[in-house]
Amino acid sequence: MLDPITHGLIGIALSTLSGHSMQLYDPVFLGCTLGAMLPDLDIIAHVKGRLNYLLKHRGASHSLIALTASALGLGTVLHFLFPTTSWATVILWTLIGTMSHGVMDLLNSYGAELLWPFSRKKITVDMIMLTDPVVFGLLLVSLIISLTNPTLASISSQTALLLSVLYLGYRHLGRIEIRDRLINIYQITDKDQVKVIPAMYHPFTWNFILFQEEHVSFGIIRNQKPSICRVLPKFNQDHPSVANALEGNLAEIFSQFTPYYHVITHFSDTEECIVEFLDLRYWAKGDFLYTGRVYVTLDGEISQEIFHPLPNQKGVLLSY
């Protein structure tokens, strides 16, 4: 998830474009800055456990409806506390701040439910992972310039924002180039069979997923050279045990949680079938970060479902 500090820096940079000063008593500055960080208050969902947080984060609180409502609420409070600027102006710049949060979160692989309640799908363009050092650095330098020389606040913010957009555009073109190279190397016939996503904890590295005929491959590109980390067999969704698992709670969680998940089946003649779910977005220390298992009895009934929020740690048993 994009870090709240970067969100705040974006809000500060945007607020300087309004012509208002960076003062703690200026409602436009406060509205745009606080508005850019406000949606991440959904972190309180963590009090009910990591699984609840993972499902709630970037959900309704990051929708267009919630972002607009947050701007109206926060802007109105700030206008009441500091009635030095018109209500409409404060609301406008607070809305710019909250919307910037939504836009930036779309760039992240985690995505956001922008169209809630009409769609629970998290929309993402898979551009950056966690925080991006280039965007963060540009905005931080802009803030330092603005604080040391307030007359340069607007121009330094414009420059930082423009350079950030150009940098993200460069990353996008680079990702397209990588995708085309992978198509040629692995002889892929359809570009939709290749997904290039940012690598976790490595901002200048890319991961990729190949949806091939007989299997799904996950790999990493380092120094322009691709390497396959895992080859995952395709599963038979018509098998009764698998079909039942795909109708369970864990399947619903993964379909809501990630656009890139895969299922592996482990069959035994004498024991229950295990249907394993893998979130293909996050790879760390040689394993996928988020996984889950559905245990299906020999007669096809689900006996238990477990979500693993971290590798090699005790999972969360789902009620069924």
Side-chain angles (χ1 to χ4, degrees):
M1 293 59 95
L2 198 67
D3 67 283
I5 297 177
T6 301
H7 280 303
L9 290 173
I10 293 172
I12 291 173
L14 290 171
S15 73
T16 64
L17 306 184
S18 68
H20 285 247
S21 60
M22 295 169 51
Q23 301 293 336
L24 294 180
Y25 53 78
D26 189 299
V28 168
F29 168 73
L30 288 174
C32 199
T33 303
L34 296 178
M37 298 186 289
L38 185 62
D40 278 346
L41 284 179
D42 64 3
I43 194 174
I44 61 175
H46 220 304
V47 299
K48 292 187 178 181
R50 182 170 177 80
L51 176 58
N52 184 68
Y53 170 70
L54 292 173
L55 296 179
K56 299 297 184 183
H57 185 51
R58 303 275 190 92
S61 64
H62 286 60
S63 66
L64 291 174
I65 293 175
L67 294 174
T68 302
S70 297
L72 287 170
L74 176 60
T76 299
V77 171
L78 291 172
H79 175 68
F80 175 78
L81 295 175
F82 307 102
T84 56
T85 306
S86 70
W87 177 84
T89 299
V90 177
I91 294 297
L92 171 63
W93 286 97
T94 305
L95 181 62
I96 289 173
T98 58
M99 288 300 173
S100 74
H101 188 112
V103 170
M104 291 304 297
D105 278 354
L106 293 185
L107 300 179
N108 186 274
S109 291
Y110 199 89
E113 292 182 22
L114 200 66
L115 302 180
W116 178 93
F118 308 105
S119 172
R120 297 298 306 274
K121 181 181 179 181
K122 285 186 170 68
I123 303 172
T124 172
V125 296
D126 294 319
M127 187 69 67
I128 57 179
M129 177 65 69
L130 300 173
T131 187
D132 187 279
V134 175
V135 174
F136 179 84
L138 289 169
L139 293 168
L140 182 60
V141 170
S142 172
L143 175 61
I144 294 172
I145 293 173
S146 299
L147 291 174
T148 55
N149 193 340
T151 60
L152 297 177
S154 180
I155 188 65
S156 67
S157 295
Q158 292 179 45
T159 302
L161 292 170
L162 176 60
L163 290 176
S164 294
V165 171
L166 292 175
Y167 161 72
L168 293 172
Y170 172 77
R171 277 183 64 86
H172 176 65
L173 294 176
R175 186 177 61 168
I176 293 176
E177 180 184 352
I178 289 172
R179 182 200 64 191
D180 293 342
R181 193 187 316 149
L182 291 170
I183 289 175
N184 291 329
I185 292 174
Y186 295 102
Q187 300 180 340
I188 305 297
T189 57
D190 186 350
K191 65 181 181 180
D192 290 334
Q193 293 177 270
V194 181
K195 300 297 179 183
V196 181
I197 57 180
M200 191 172 188
Y201 305 129
H202 300 281
F204 304 113
T205 302
W206 295 92
N207 292 338
F208 62 90
I209 308 169
L210 305 178
F211 297 95
Q212 297 166 291
E213 185 174 346
E214 297 298 329
H215 52 265
V216 173
S217 299
F218 176 88
I220 299 176
I221 294 180
R222 291 192 180 98
N223 300 320
Q224 304 299 315
K225 296 181 179 179
S227 60
I228 301 295
C229 300
R230 288 279 297 273
V231 176
L232 309 169
K234 287 287 185 71
F235 63 93
N236 180 12
Q237 60 183 7
D238 294 326
H239 189 282
S241 295
V242 177
N244 285 348
L246 292 174
E247 294 295 326
N249 293 334
L250 190 65
E252 182 178 354
I253 287 175
F254 270 79
S255 62
Q256 175 188 335
F257 181 53
T258 172
Y260 309 126
Y261 74 89
H262 189 67
V263 174
I264 300 176
T265 52
H266 307 275
F267 292 104
S268 172
D269 293 333
T270 57
E271 299 178 357
E272 58 189 354
C273 167
I274 300 175
V275 181
E276 184 177 12
F277 287 74
L278 306 172
D279 181 358
L280 303 182
R281 295 174 300 172
Y282 304 123
W283 176 267
K285 298 180 180 180
D287 201 358
F288 295 107
L289 189 63
Y290 301 124
T291 63
R293 288 192 168 198
V294 180
Y295 295 84
V296 186
T297 62
L298 292 178
D299 58 4
E301 297 297 322
I302 295 177
S303 61
Q304 64 177 355
E305 298 177 291
I306 300 176
F307 179 86
H308 294 275
L310 291 172
N312 303 317
Q313 291 194 11
K314 184 179 181 180
V316 179
L317 181 63
L318 306 181
S319 60
Y320 190 79

